[in-house]
């Protein structure tokens, strides 16, 4: 039968390319690819489940959702929360960080003001095959950064730094694009924590729009 969201694998046609979709089931144009319907069902299932946020905090911590202003507070120690999806400001000790929580996802956080790190990445306009990346970091303590790239190379993929008791640091990396016809991707992972990663995407040149 016809399934909403299903995609047929082929179409026969009548005069002037009008599609042939008769009542009798005839291969191949009555065969359906239901992947799109399954993906939609999976997304709907995720929407119905809150974000799971767990971890540890060494001081009183507040999660505040930007749109609704709703606040959730936890004391020091381990915590395990169900939070509605949204853009959150997390205040712990004298540190503040922003995170976007998505329904149906799990997040593991280590909220320690003495060993915190926040990153902001920006990309400059490409110059040929090179793209300069500026990173602004704030936080405290010792940290190790891992850089992962797609369709690009970078001189150093591992970096160690010390933010002291609370400092700001500016770094710059140069990405060499491998194929200018494809997008490039940069992922920076602090201290091996995937939850705290930052991602940046771009192209080496302006790609034509597909109409």
């Amino acid at each position: 039968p016809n399934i909403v969201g299903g995609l047929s694998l082929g179409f026969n046609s009548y005069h002037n390319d009008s599609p042939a979709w008769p009542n009798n089931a005839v291969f191949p144009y009555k065969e359906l690819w239901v992947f799109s319907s399954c993906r939609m069902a999976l997304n709907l299932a995720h929407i119905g489940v809150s974000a799971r946020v767990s971890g540890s905090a060494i001081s009183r911590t507040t999660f505040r959702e930007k749109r609704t202003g709703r606040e959730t507070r936890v004391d020091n120690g381990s915590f395990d929360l169900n939070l509605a999806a949204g853009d959150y400001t997390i205040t712990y000790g004298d540190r503040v960080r922003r995170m976007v929580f998505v329904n149906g996802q799990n997040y593991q956080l280590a909220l320690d003001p003495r060993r915190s790190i926040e990153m902001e990445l920006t990309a400059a306009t490409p110059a040929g095959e090179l793209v300069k990346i500026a990173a602004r970091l704030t936080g405290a303590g010792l940290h190790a950064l891992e850089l992962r790239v797609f369709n690009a190379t970078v001189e150093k993929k591992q970096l160690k730094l010390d933010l002291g008791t609370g400092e700001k640091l500016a770094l710059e990396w140069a990405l060499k694009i491998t194929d200018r016809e494809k997008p490039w991707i940069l992922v920076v992972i602090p201290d091996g924590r995937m939850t705290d990663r930052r991602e940046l995407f771009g192209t080496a040149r302006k790609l034509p729009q597909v109409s």
Side-chain angles (χ1 to χ4, degrees):
N2 297 337
I3 301 176
V4 175
L7 302 176
S8 65
L9 298 185
F11 282 99
N12 284 348
S13 63
Y14 295 122
H15 183 63
N16 292 330
D17 273 346
S18 61
W21 195 279
N23 292 327
N24 58 315
V26 180
F27 179 84
Y29 49 86
K30 289 292 281 186
E31 181 179 351
L32 293 179
W33 185 41
V34 297
F35 176 81
S36 56
S37 300
C38 294
R39 176 63 69 178
M40 176 60 71
L42 178 62
N43 289 337
L44 292 175
H46 280 174
I47 290 174
V49 179
S50 300
R52 192 72 171 176
V53 183
S54 57
S56 61
I58 69 167
S59 60
R60 188 174 177 84
T61 300
T62 301
F63 296 81
R64 187 179 190 276
E65 207 284 314
K66 181 180 179 181
R67 183 180 62 86
T68 62
R70 181 178 179 180
E71 294 186 350
T72 302
R73 294 182 175 88
V74 297
D75 294 323
N76 59 312
S78 300
F79 60 87
D80 199 354
L81 305 172
N82 288 327
L83 296 178
D87 186 351
Y88 283 80
T89 299
I90 307 172
T91 304
Y92 56 109
D94 59 350
R95 304 295 178 188
V96 177
R97 68 180 297 183
R98 288 187 59 188
M99 285 193 69
V100 175
F101 295 140
V102 179
N103 282 333
Q105 297 296 314
N106 295 319
Y107 300 88
Q108 185 73 28
L109 304 180
L111 301 175
D112 184 350
R114 302 167 302 180
R115 199 168 181 272
S116 62
I117 184 170
E118 290 295 317
M119 296 182 293
E120 182 180 343
L121 305 178
T122 56
T125 302
E129 297 179 347
L130 294 179
V131 178
K132 289 187 177 180
I133 307 297
R136 289 184 290 181
L137 300 94
T138 59
L142 298 172
H143 299 278
L145 301 183
E146 178 187 357
L147 277 64
R148 298 184 185 181
V149 292
F150 168 78
N151 191 37
T153 58
V154 64
E155 184 177 352
K156 291 184 178 180
K157 293 187 177 181
Q158 305 286 340
L159 182 66
K160 293 184 178 180
L161 53 92
D162 186 356
L163 295 176
T165 57
E167 298 180 8
K168 297 181 180 180
L169 185 63
L171 300 177
E172 188 175 274
W173 301 301
L175 297 185
K176 185 176 181 181
I177 308 305
T178 304
D179 186 347
R180 299 184 70 228
E181 301 299 317
K182 298 179 181 178
W184 56 264
I185 303 173
L186 169 67
V187 181
V188 183
I189 306 169
D191 305 317
R193 298 195 301 265
M194 292 297 294
T195 299
D196 296 337
R197 71 186 182 276
R198 292 293 181 268
E199 303 173 352
L200 202 60
F201 307 82
T203 57
R205 66 181 184 87
K206 187 176 181 179
L207 300 180
Q209 293 185 349
V210 179
S211 57

